[in-house]
Amino acid sequence: AQKITQTQPGMFVQEKEAVTLDCTYDTSDPSYGLFWYKQPSSGEMIFLIYQGSYDQQNATEGRYSLNFQKARKSANLVISASQLGDSAMYFCAMRVLGGGSNYKLTFGKGTLLTVNP
Amino acid sequence: DVKVTQSSRYLVKRTGEKVFLECVQDMDHENMFWYRQDPGLGLRLIYFSYDVKMKEKGDIPEGYSVSREKKERFSLILESASTNQTSMYLCASSSRLMFSNQPQHFGDGTRLSIL
C-alpha cells in the first residue's frame, strides 16, 4: 500500500522568503509519480509540479521546485520568494504506475502555509 | 485550459434525502473521480470511472454510488444522506494515463451539509 506523510500541519513564512514543505512517501513500486497541489481557501485544487521516479533532475516550475531525494523517499516542495497569494493548503500526492491501480492518487493530509507580510 | 465544473458550491440537505452531486468536464477525459475532503484526513477517493458506464470503488465507497452515462458527466449519489457525510466533495478528471505525468484536474468543490 502507498502512503504519503506530510509532518507539518502548519507553516509560517515571511513574504519574499523561501519555504520548504515536507513530504515523505512509502511504496515498494519502482515506478511512481509525485504531485504537489495547492488549495486556496476558495477550495479549488491547483496542480503545481510533478516529479517522476526515474527523472534524473529535480522538477522546477517557476517559483516552485521539488527537492527529490529518492533514497530517503522524500519529495519536498520549495517555494522561493513567497507571496501573500501563496497562503493556502498544500497537498503532496503519489501515483504508482504498476499494477491495476495506476489511476489512483494517494494524498497526504496537507500543510497549511501562511505567508506573513 | 481544462474545466471541471461541479454543479453546486454549497448544498444543504436533510438526513435520509437522496442527494445528487454533478460534475462535468470539457476536455474529453476518460477518467473521472470523486473525492471527499475532511480536515486532518486529506482527500480520500470515493469512486472512480475510467469510461462511460464503468466504475470502480475507491477507498471509502460505503453510502455512495455513482453514475456515468456520458463521457463528460460523472454523478455522485448519496442514497440516504447521513450527518457523517457532511464534507467537502471534489470531482476530478484526467486523460487516460499514457504518460505518468498526467495530473488530475479538479473542480471547485461542493461543501455539503447534512442536517
Side-chain angles (χ1 to χ4, degrees):
Chain A
Q2 292 76 45
K3 186 177 181 181
I4 295 283
T5 302
Q6 295 180 253
T7 57
Q8 307 152 315
M11 287 281 287
F12 293 89
V13 66
Q14 287 298 122
E15 196 177 6
K16 300 181 184 177
E17 291 185 353
V19 62
T20 298
L21 305 183
D22 293 342
C23 172
T24 58
Y25 58 92
D26 188 22
T27 181
S28 56
D29 268 272
S31 300
Y32 52 88
L34 296 155
F35 300 80
W36 277 92
Y37 284 86
K38 171 186 178 181
Q39 187 181 40
S41 57
S42 50
E44 72 273 27
M45 294 279 283
I46 303 166
F47 166 66
L48 295 177
I49 196 167
Y50 167 83
Q51 180 83 45
S53 60
Y54 294 117
D55 292 345
Q56 295 296 312
Q57 294 187 332
N58 287 343
T60 60
E61 287 288 347
R63 293 187 298 111
Y64 304 109
S65 60
L66 214 153
N67 183 3
F68 181 48
Q69 299 188 46
K70 194 170 181 177
R72 294 186 176 184
K73 293 190 174 180
S74 74
N76 299 338
L77 177 71
V78 180
I79 305 174
S80 63
S82 296
Q83 301 172 357
L84 295 177
D86 293 335
S87 293
M89 183 73 85
Y90 289 81
F91 290 97
C92 180
M94 177 172 63
R95 181 168 64 218
V96 169
L97 303 178
S101 62
N102 61 358
Y103 60 86
K104 183 179 175 182
L105 275 180
T106 300
F107 283 85
K109 295 182 179 180
T111 295
L112 181 62
L113 176 66
T114 302
V115 180
N116 293 318
Chain B
D1 277 355
V2 177
K3 186 68 175 175
V4 179
T5 303
Q6 294 183 229
S7 52
S8 305
R9 290 299 302 272
Y10 300 92
L11 204 56
V12 180
K13 296 292 182 180
R14 296 204 173 273
T15 304
E17 280 192 66
K18 191 169 185 176
V19 181
F20 293 84
L21 302 184
E22 307 286 346
C23 176
V24 176
Q25 50 94 3
D26 66 357
M27 285 301 294
D28 202 35
H29 282 166
E30 292 82 5
N31 301 329
M32 296 189 74
F33 310 81
W34 274 107
Y35 295 88
R36 68 175 280 175
Q37 181 181 8
D38 300 289
L41 296 179
L43 277 74
R44 294 178 291 167
L45 181 66
I46 305 171
Y47 265 99
F48 156 71
S49 170
Y50 55 89
D51 205 345
V52 175
K53 296 190 185 295
M54 306 305 290
K55 62 185 180 183
E56 284 192 21
K57 293 180 180 179
D59 298 318
I60 50 165
E62 297 78 18
Y64 303 93
S65 62
V66 290
S67 171
R68 191 155 180 214
E69 297 296 320
K70 293 184 178 181
K71 191 175 184 180
E72 67 271 18
R73 186 179 298 270
F74 192 34
S75 302
L76 179 69
I77 304 157
L78 286 66
E79 296 290 344
S80 177
S82 65
T83 54
N84 63 11
Q85 292 178 310
T86 291
S87 187
M88 170 77 135
Y89 290 87
L90 288 159
C91 175
S93 73
S94 72
S95 62
R96 190 151 290 160
L97 298 175
M98 297 296 291
F99 302 102
S100 64
N101 62 350
Q102 294 287 331
Q104 291 182 14
H105 300 272
F106 285 81
D108 290 346
T110 296
R111 295 187 187 274
L112 175 65
S113 295
I114 306 295
L115 304 179

